Structure formats: C-alpha cells, structure tokens
Amino acid sequence: MTKKLGLACVICLAAVSFNRGVTRANAQTPISFSKDIQPLLEQNCWSCHGPSMQSSRLNLSTLEGALRGGARGSAIVPGQAEDSRLYRMVAGLDKPAMPLGGSKLTDGQIAAIKNWIDQGAHWDASAVGAKTQPDPATAFAALENVQLPPGARDYWAFKLPVQAPVPVVARAFSNPIDRFLEKARQEKGLKAAPKADRFTLLRRAYMDLIGLPPSPEEIAAFMNDPAPGAWERLIDKLLASPHYGERWGRHWLDAARYADSSGYENDTDQPNLWRYRDYVIKAFNEDKPYNTFIKEQIAGDEIPNRTDDSLIATGFLRAGPRVRNHEHANPARRYDYLDDVLGAVGKGMLGLTVQCARCHDHKFDPITQKDYYAMEASIFGYVETDYPLGPREQADAYMRKMSEIAGKVAALKDQIDEIDKPYHDKLALEEIRKKYPPEVVRAVEKPESERTPGEKLIAIQVLESGGGRSTAAADKIMSSEDAAKKKALNDQIAALNAEKPAPLPMASIVTDGDWRSVELGYGDRNEGACPKCELEYVGAGKFLELGPGKGNYKVPPSYFLMRGDPDSKAYPTKSGFLSVITEGNPPTELPPADGRTSGRRLALAEWLISRDNPLPARVIVNRIWQHHFGKGIVPTLDNFGKMGEQPTNQALLDWLAVEFMNKGWSIKQMQRLIMTSEAYQMASEYDDAASAKNDPEDTYLWRYRIQRLEGEIIRDNIMSVAGSIDLTMGGPAIFPHVDESFIKTLFRGIYRNQEDGPDVWRRSIYIYQKRTLPSPMLQVFDLPDMSQSFGARYVSTVPTQALQLMNDDFVLRQAQMFADRVKKEAGNDVAKQVDLAYRIALTRPPTERELSLATDMILSGSLVDFTNVILNLSEFLYTR
C-alpha cells in the first residue's frame, strides 16, 4: 500500500546523510546526472513514468517523484543501489525487468545507474524538475545530525535517581518508607490510619503474594503466634511459596503482552510459547535479579553460557500479535512487529511511549525519529523460530538433519511447481476470459514481445492477481506422463519425511537471522495454514546451530522510514538508544566470539540495565508499589514522560530505585521492605475528617487503599474455597469450557473446548490465552488487551460482573462444592457452618449480625444459597 507524501515530507525525505553510505562508491568515477543519467531516463523511462504519464503512480522526471516512488514504493534509496527498485528492475534483479517493450539497457548503462545511486543519487540543479529539490546529502544530514532541544534532560524522569537522606520526622519509624510518607503527610495535614487487625493483614498478604486464601489451619497458626517477628515470618513463607511466581508472573505477562495465539483474524496457535509463561513463573520464584531477567528476555541467545531458559526468555520479543505467514510476502508487517517490540520495551521496561516516534518526532517527549530507528536497528536482525531443547550437541544435530531434509524437499517441490505451472496458467487464462473484458484478455493472450508497454503492465497485474492455482483442478487436466512424474516426486518427499529424527521438545525463541529470505515456523501445522509449513518449520536451521564457531553474521540493513512508511526508505541507520537517557557512548554492539549473532540486542540489554539509565529501576519499583498499594507513586505506570502524571513522592521513588539496584535488583527484597512498613499495614476502614478533606483521593497514602482482585485471582479463589483447585504447576494450557456459539465464530486457530471439570480447575494463569476469544469470566473482570503492554489493568464495576457470579454454571457448581465442603467439615451445626465458610472465604469469623443473617438464610433456603452469596460479596472480590 502506497502512502501519499506531501512536498514538505518528500523534501524531508531527501534529507539522508550519505557520508557513510557513499564511502564505498567514492573510489569510482563521479557520475553526472545531467550527462549520464537523465538521458537514459528520458529515452527509456519517461514515456511511462515521466511528466505526462505516471504508470503505477511513478514519476522519474523529478527527484521528488523518484524518492516518493509509486505503487511499489520508492524508486531510489540514495547511497544504496542494491535496495533501489530503479536499479534492481533495469538490471533484471526484480521482475518485471525494465524498460518494458524496448531495448534493454546495456551493461555500461546499468552500471552507470548503479554507481550514480551508490554515490548518493545527486540530482543536478540544472536538471529537469530539480530546481526546487534539495540535494540528498544536504537534506538527509538534517535528520542524521538532529540534536535534542536545550533543557531536554532537565525533566525529572530523564535524570539519574539519587538516594537522598531519609527524612527526619516527629514519629520514630524503623522503616525508611514510613519516614518519607510521614513527611508528605505532615506537609499536607494528614493523619495516618491505625494498624489493621491481624485477620485483615493475613488475607492482604496472601492475596498480594500468592493470590490464594489461607486455609483455616494457616489462619489459626498465624493468629496463635504471639512471638515477635510473626508478620515477617509470614512474608518470608509466602515469598518462598511456588505459587508466588504464578501470582507475580501474571503481572509481568500483562506487561509482556503475552498470549498463546497470534492474534489478528487468523489468530493461529503458538504451540510452544507456554514455555515462556513458565519461564516467567520460574524467574519470579527464584527471585532472578531483575537486571538478569531483562537481559535474558532481550538477548538470551547472545549472552555467554546461554541456557535453555535464556533461549526461552527471548519469547518476550515475539509474544505480541503477529500475522502468521511469510513476512517477506508483505515486508510492511515486519515493521509492525518491530514497532510492537519497541512498544513493549518502551512501556514495559522504560515507562515511555517510544512508539510515538515511529512516524515523526515525539510530540511531547524528547524522543526523535532518529532515536526510534536507532532502537529499531538494535533489534532489526531478530527472527522468530522454534528451537529444540536439550543438550546443545543433540539440538544442533537435530536442526542440521531437519534442515538437510527441508532443503531436499524444497528442491523437489520446486520441480512439482514446474510441472504444475502450465496447467495452472491454462486454468488462469480460462478464469481471465470469464472475468475480464476483451481488451484485457487480448493483452494477456499476446506474446510478451508483442505487447505495448501499457499491455505489459495490464498483463502483469492481471496474472499476479491469481486464479487457476487449485492443485486439485490442475491434477484433473494433467497429462498421464506429467502425473506420473509428479507422483514420483511426491513419493520422494514422503521418503525424505520418513527420515526425520524423532521430535524434540521445542521452544519458541528469537535469534538473529535474515528475515527476508527465511520462512519461519509458526506452528499451526495441523490447521492447513500454509502448504509449505514443513519447510517453514525448519527453514531457520541454517543459522540456528547455536554451538561455537558458526560464522560471521551480518545484520540486514535497516532504514529511517519517512512517516513510518516501509516504502519510503530514507537512509541506512545504525543501532543506538534513546539520546535523552543515554550517558556517554555505550557500545551499540557486543558481538559474541562465535560471530553467530550481531550482539546488538545484548548491547541494548546492557544499556537498559545500566545504572546510568534513569528509568528501568524506577519503573519496576513503581510497578511493585502499585501492586501492593493500588496506585503507583507515578500513577501512569507505562508513561513516565511529560504526558504522564507526576510522582506523588519523587524522593521516595528515587530512594527505592537506588535501594533496589544496591540490593541486587531483587524484587522479593523490595517486597519485604514495602510489606514490613507501617504504611502497608494500615487499616483501610478509617475516617479522619481533616485527612479526607485535604486528600480525598488518598494520594499521599494516609490509609490503605481497597483493591479489587483480578479476574484470574477471583476464579482461583472460587476454586480454592470450594476445595476443587488443582495446584499442578506449568505445562501446556488448559481450555475451560465456553459456550459453543463462541467457538463457531472462530475463523482459524484453536480452542480445544473442554468440559467443566477437574481437568480445567487449575490456576487461571494456565488458561489458554486466545486473543480473539478471551475467557468470558476473566474478560468481564477487566482482562487487558493481550495485544499491547499493560502495567496496570483498568478496574470497572459493571452489572455483568454480578450476573456472571450469580448465574454462571462454573460458579454455581463451585458454590455447591463449597457447600459440600463446609457441611463435611462442620457437620450439621449451622453456626459452625457459617463460621467455617467465613474463615475459608474471607479469612475471618463472622460478626454476630452476619451469623444471624446467614443462619436465617440457610434455614429458610439452603447452604448452597449461602455459599453462592459468599462468592458474590464485595469482600470476597476485594482486599481491604
């Protein structure tokens, strides 16, 4: 798709500095446009692409027209002849070869065009149409050498955090957090709430750290522990629980835009990406240092001593939505995927809307297009593929064998295509005769040498539009001789496929390669998504041998795109970072010794986790704070830029960020610090008239904020109190039952609808995350859009939530099981039943009034009526 560019944008497009790109051509004899090139264009091109006629919307009579290009994009990329359509088509490298209908250019003329473009495509001022056009070397220099405006780094978020002295306040606090908060409260005239009761704190800690309620036995153990340090011991116990990783891993998966399907209308299955989900859970359970966690996800294939885990971690880069077919068939998609990755890195790790600089300089933050495309160049070489897990020697041998077989199969399929072609062409011509008017049919039927230039264009467009491609139809009209040849070739393919080694466990990973020439494996090989999926599955094998000494990898060239348009390449870009938060000149490539990858992503990862980068530590600490207190110190978790909200206590945020780095980037250590503060242990039910007047939104945390649980935790808690939950960890996803009417709406992809029962009563983090069919129960409780990074979920209160909990078959069945559990453990004593139900579901005994009301309900109705009501209580859905 061609995007129209105005004159001002095209002048801007002419702005590439080719001081680097021209170096290789400087040794050649300078080419004069007016003497050497314009006559060639005038004689051979302008009849179709000149002042009076612009076939395919391409005008080669002006620099503006050549740079803007036509229906297939820019005709010239100054300094890069190999990437310029003009050169490639006159040289016959791309089809159709140009010029159409006349004599082909001589080798000398083609070489002149190539050298002219490599030398910068200078368009003489005296040439036709050039008087108003700037020279590329002058105009592109403006983009290449753009500087940040004065004072760009003066904004608080772009300065390094400083750990200021802990404030001195009137009250004695043992935790530095309380002293920072108390100083702000004193300045605002606020009074801190008293400490919450132990039942409330117990439930709060369980919900925050593992997302499951304590059992009656665990409640009793905590309530009967009067020894000092009981609260700290409880925190350590929960942080050590394997279910901690499931709770906190889910938070990160929101930021990673994780899903098990690819998205868009096909929404095909990604059968191995669940291993990334399990990697995240494991990383949180192990308290993997956050800087290592980031490094593995950005460059786990490039780090020294890489492991299966570090390879799986790169699933972060490919977790976003993808159209699962050949990238090289529609290169524009490639840039959308790169933009998706930059968006996830920007929002998820930097707290910045980097994507806003794809088409123009950021409107609010000092992020230039140059910075955006430097970041893009840092990840440009990445490709998505599947890789076998296990010992490296075994994995590499597997990939070598699969690649060898795939190469042979591809050659045989090419021969089959040659056999099929005349029959497909015949069928296509029959379709054209039925579909198109006579003049079009005549153009197609004419021998190519007899067609006029206009007829050649018509014939190309009609023939490329498809038709007659049915293999079954071609087989019906195929000669017996060709049919026998085709059968023999298919038999050879079957024999080769039989030689494939036994399959190994596969991981969906990212590594460096050439996305332009490699078809990648995306799964869905059982869905009929592509007739060449077997080749796609192993196509990356040639560069995926991850052992030492595998070559000297070169990243394919990346370009500055005008207005973000893949068809408007301006100039080649170098890898780099965001200037406003980059100190000095950190390396932009850290290639490994084996030369298998570029090392650009490793350099990006090192820049992200450098102590000289002011944002990543702040961003993750702010997220941890938000998940414990309901609101970040910077309320806009994904946007620390100028359009985000200002920090309510920057001194505290910066102190925590530096402390986080000083303590080894440990998330669990930061949580211990937060949860042992008096602020975290405050009551939520506290009314102070002056505080409510001075800070009605509780911005400065004078009482604990009540928080609604996420849909996953609500579902997990329902099963937990019912006693039905299966706490098995890890592995492929589950498919909880949804109404068949939803399944019928699916266009492609999978959803293996399972009956409601023990097989799907696992924790909700293991539910199959299908982008076009999110779990109805999770969606009604504000499941975020899985196609973009989210630091914090929206929280809504809508009638459908109550209707879901009152009427859903799953909830009603769990309510019955909850009633059965209560009756089994408490017997027929109604008072004991009520007391036990409250302790199981709400982590506290009932009040006298609650006991009376519940008893009346059970006696006048049933125990299951009561347990269903319990599951609908606000207190069950919130932490307080």
Side-chain angles (χ1 to χ4, degrees):
M1 180 177 65
T2 301
K3 299 182 179 179
K4 296 182 179 179
L5 304 177
L7 176 59
C9 197
V10 173
I11 290 173
C12 204
L13 172 61
V16 157
S17 164
F18 284 107
N19 294 334
R20 299 187 309 271
V22 174
T23 301
R24 62 182 183 184
N26 282 341
Q28 300 166 349
T29 303
I31 302 296
S32 167
F33 174 77
S34 59
K35 293 179 181 179
D36 302 319
I37 303 302
Q38 184 174 331
L40 294 178
L41 300 179
E42 206 167 342
Q43 181 179 352
N44 297 282
C45 306
W46 284 9
S47 59
C48 296
H49 306 290
S52 59
M53 179 179 180
Q54 290 93 44
S55 294
S56 300
R57 301 192 296 278
L58 175 61
N59 182 1
L60 291 176
S61 67
T62 68
L63 175 61
E64 173 189 344
L67 289 172
R68 180 177 58 217
R72 299 180 66 185
S74 178
I76 60 173
V77 180
Q80 297 287 325
E82 290 292 340
D83 293 310
S84 299
R85 293 187 187 278
L86 174 60
Y87 165 68
R88 295 188 66 81
M89 297 182 87
V90 298
L93 300 176
D94 288 345
K95 302 299 180 183
M98 292 288 175
L100 287 175
S103 301
K104 302 300 180 184
L105 300 188
T106 67
D107 291 346
Q109 291 170 330
I110 294 170
I113 290 176
K114 181 181 188 300
N115 291 338
W116 170 68
I117 295 174
D118 279 338
Q119 291 173 14
H122 298 285
W123 203 286
D124 298 351
S126 60
V128 174
K131 292 184 178 179
T132 61
Q133 307 303 324
D135 182 76
T138 302
F140 282 154
L143 292 177
E144 174 74 0
N145 300 316
V146 66
Q147 299 295 316
L148 294 177
R153 290 187 172 89
D154 293 342
Y155 184 66
W156 74 270
F158 304 146
K159 298 178 181 179
L160 292 175
V162 175
Q163 195 169 44
V166 178
V168 176
V169 292
R171 278 191 57 192
F173 291 100
S174 60
N175 192 306
I177 290 173
D178 292 310
R179 292 165 64 177
F180 279 100
L181 292 174
E182 184 64 16
K183 180 175 185 294
R185 294 190 201 108
Q186 290 176 357
E187 292 171 351
K188 303 294 180 180
L190 308 173
K191 181 180 179 182
K195 187 175 183 177
D197 65 81
R198 295 192 84 183
F199 284 116
T200 298
L201 291 176
L202 179 64
R203 175 174 165 81
R204 187 182 295 175
Y206 268 80
M207 291 300 105
D208 272 9
L209 291 182
I210 66 170
L212 295 169
S215 66
E217 294 75 19
E218 289 170 322
I219 296 171
F222 179 70
M223 298 303 294
N224 295 325
D225 182 3
W231 176 244
E232 290 77 7
R233 288 192 294 277
L234 174 68
I235 293 171
D236 287 339
K237 171 190 170 183
L238 295 177
L239 289 173
S241 166
H243 304 302
Y244 165 83
E246 294 171 322
R247 178 70 166 119
W248 279 78
R250 180 63 259 181
H251 294 321
W252 181 258
L253 293 178
D254 283 358
R257 77 263 186 255
Y258 171 82
D260 294 296
S261 66
S262 64
Y264 296 105
E265 65 274 15
N266 287 338
D267 201 25
T268 50
D269 182 36
Q270 302 187 95
N272 300 306
L273 202 56
W274 60 266
R275 297 185 193 277
Y276 171 72
R277 174 247 291 156
D278 285 359
Y279 159 81
V280 171
I281 293 171
K282 181 181 178 183
F284 274 93
N285 276 335
E286 294 176 346
D287 197 21
K288 188 184 290 286
Y290 183 68
N291 54 351
T292 302
F293 185 57
I294 293 300
K295 184 188 292 189
E296 290 181 345
Q297 291 178 90
I298 299 297
D301 61 315
E302 295 195 303
I303 61 177
N305 303 316
R306 53 185 168 264
T307 63
D308 281 351
D309 274 355
S310 72
L311 289 172
I312 292 168
T314 63
F316 169 85
L317 298 172
R318 61 178 296 177
R322 302 286 188 269
V323 177
R324 290 306 185 195
N325 62 6
H326 316 304
E327 264 179 44
H328 57 266
N330 187 349
R333 290 188 183 131
R334 170 70 176 180
Y335 295 96
D336 291 338
Y337 304 159
L338 292 164
D339 187 65
D340 161 73
V341 174
L342 292 181
V345 172
K347 293 173 67 178
M349 299 175 182
L350 291 169
L352 292 175
T353 53
V354 176
Q355 288 169 294
C356 293
R358 178 181 182 179
C359 303
H360 48 71
D361 289 349
H362 200 294
K363 295 296 185 183
F364 306 104
D365 295 330
I367 303 173
T368 64
Q369 265 190 292
K370 177 188 173 183
D371 284 347
Y372 175 93
Y373 286 105
M375 289 273 285
E376 185 185 87
S378 297
I379 60 172
F380 194 80
Y382 95 95
V383 292
E384 302 173 1
T385 190
D386 291 342
Y387 188 72
L389 301 175
R392 291 278 64 83
E393 296 80 6
Q394 180 186 11
D396 285 343
Y398 176 87
M399 290 303 290
R400 280 194 297 270
K401 183 64 176 177
M402 293 293 283
S403 185
E404 175 190 341
I405 293 173
K408 293 177 180 179
V409 168
L412 294 171
K413 287 185 175 181
D414 286 341
Q415 294 180 52
I416 291 174
D417 288 344
E418 287 297 316
I419 294 173
D420 285 341
K421 186 179 186 303
Y423 300 101
H424 286 156
D425 290 348
K426 181 179 179 180
L427 293 169
L429 189 56
E430 291 176 1
E431 284 189 33
I432 289 167
R433 286 173 178 152
K434 296 175 184 177
K435 187 176 179 180
Y436 292 99
E439 56 272 21
V440 174
V441 175
R442 284 195 299 271
V444 174
E445 290 180 333
K446 274 187 180 182
E448 184 175 352
S449 61
E450 297 178 14
R451 293 172 186 154
T452 67
E455 287 174 334
K456 287 189 176 185
L457 289 172
I458 290 172
I460 290 167
Q461 291 170 356
V462 170
L463 291 171
E464 287 185 350
S465 67
R469 303 298 183 191
S470 168
T471 298
D475 287 345
K476 289 180 180 179
I477 64 172
M478 188 174 291
S479 71
S480 58
E481 181 182 358
D482 283 343
K485 291 179 181 178
K486 182 174 178 179
K487 181 181 183 304
L489 292 169
N490 278 320
D491 288 344
Q492 291 182 57
I493 290 174
L496 285 168
N497 286 334
E499 295 178 12
K500 290 179 181 177
L504 296 176
M506 303 295 286
S508 297
I509 73 163
V510 157
T511 190
D512 278 352
D514 192 339
W515 64 273
R516 301 169 300 179
S517 60
V518 176
E519 298 181 1
L520 305 176
Y522 294 125
D524 290 345
R525 289 178 289 282
N526 298 320
E527 298 180 28
C530 172
K532 292 188 177 180
C533 285
E534 201 61 57
L535 173 60
E536 292 178 338
Y537 178 57
V538 298
K542 68 181 79 171
F543 57 78
L544 266 183
E545 296 181 27
L546 298 187
K550 297 304 178 183
N552 187 20
Y553 172 73
K554 297 296 183 184
V555 183
S558 57
Y559 295 92
F560 188 112
L561 304 182
M562 301 310 301
R563 289 191 173 177
D565 181 2
D567 289 331
S568 298
K569 296 175 180 175
Y571 65 93
T573 53
K574 284 187 173 181
S575 55
F577 316 121
L578 302 185
S579 303
V580 73
I581 53 173
T582 299
E583 293 289 328
N585 294 294
T588 58
E589 292 186 5
L590 294 169
D594 58 28
R596 191 193 55 78
T597 61
S598 68
R600 289 185 179 185
R601 283 180 289 109
L602 182 57
L604 172 63
E606 294 289 358
W607 171 77
L608 283 169
I609 61 178
S610 168
R611 291 185 69 109
D612 289 332
N613 191 324
L615 285 173
R618 278 181 174 137
V619 168
I620 189 60
V621 163
N622 191 58
R623 288 223 176 113
I624 296 169
W625 186 273
Q626 188 271 343
H627 290 309
H628 283 300
F629 288 111
K631 183 188 291 186
I633 298 173
V634 177
T636 49
L637 270 65
D638 300 331
N639 192 353
F640 276 47
K642 295 180 180 178
M643 294 304 291
E645 295 187 45
Q646 296 295 300
T648 56
N649 196 323
Q650 186 190 336
L652 172 58
L653 177 64
D654 285 0
W655 191 93
L656 291 172
V658 175
E659 185 73 3
F660 178 66
M661 291 186 285
N662 288 345
K663 297 295 175 138
W665 300 73
S666 166
I667 289 177
K668 287 186 177 181
Q669 186 278 335
M670 181 54 57
Q671 290 177 290
R672 287 190 191 93
L673 181 64
I674 288 173
M675 294 180 70
T676 54
S677 69
E678 292 188 22
Y680 181 80
Q681 300 174 65
M682 288 189 298
S684 59
E685 297 180 6
Y686 171 66
D687 292 320
D688 179 75
S691 298
K693 180 180 179 181
N694 294 337
D695 184 18
E697 299 297 324
D698 196 17
T699 299
Y700 297 97
L701 207 59
W702 52 276
R703 64 182 173 190
Y704 185 81
R705 302 183 186 106
I706 295 175
Q707 299 178 60
R708 220 273 315 281
L709 297 172
E710 303 95 320
E712 292 93 332
I713 304 306
I714 293 172
R715 178 179 176 273
D716 292 351
N717 273 253
I718 289 173
M719 294 185 294
S720 183
V721 301
S724 64
I725 193 168
D726 176 359
L727 294 175
T728 302
M729 295 181 64
I734 57 172
F735 296 79
H737 186 77
V738 298
D739 192 277
E740 283 297 325
S741 61
F742 292 118
I743 305 297
K744 292 176 182 177
T745 66
L746 300 179
F747 172 63
R748 184 172 280 168
I750 66 167
Y751 193 86
R752 303 185 181 101
N753 211 11
Q754 297 177 263
E755 290 301 318
D756 185 45
D759 288 345
V760 295
W761 291 343
R762 295 179 61 202
R763 293 206 69 173
S764 301
I765 193 172
Y766 301 115
I767 291 177
Y768 188 84
Q769 301 293 321
K770 187 170 183 64
R771 286 188 163 99
T772 57
L773 184 61
S775 165
M777 181 169 186
L778 305 189
Q779 188 174 35
V780 78
F781 284 101
D782 305 302
L783 181 73
D785 180 355
M786 292 174 275
S787 294
Q788 55 182 308
S789 176
F790 272 83
R793 297 186 178 189
Y794 300 116
V795 178
S796 67
T797 303
V798 293
T800 47
Q801 294 165 348
L803 294 172
Q804 180 87 23
L805 293 174
M806 288 191 294
N807 302 309
D808 182 73
D809 289 341
F810 163 77
V811 179
L812 293 176
R813 185 174 182 183
Q814 297 295 321
Q816 180 64 62
M817 296 176 73
F818 184 18
D820 295 343
R821 175 188 178 184
V822 168
K823 187 169 184 178
K824 179 180 179 181
E825 296 181 17
N828 294 321
D829 187 321
V830 174
K832 290 183 178 179
Q833 290 175 349
V834 173
D835 182 80
L836 180 60
Y838 264 80
R839 291 177 186 273
I840 290 173
L842 305 179
T843 319
R844 66 173 179 85
T847 64
E848 289 187 10
R849 176 169 172 74
E850 288 169 336
L851 176 60
S852 175
L853 291 172
T855 300
D856 289 345
M857 173 177 285
I858 294 170
L859 294 176
S860 62
S862 68
L863 181 57
V864 72
D865 290 339
F866 168 63
T867 55
N868 194 11
V869 168
I870 286 282
L871 300 183
N872 279 267
L873 291 176
S874 292
E875 189 175 344
F876 184 74
L877 307 178
Y878 286 77
T879 54
R880 61 185 181 89

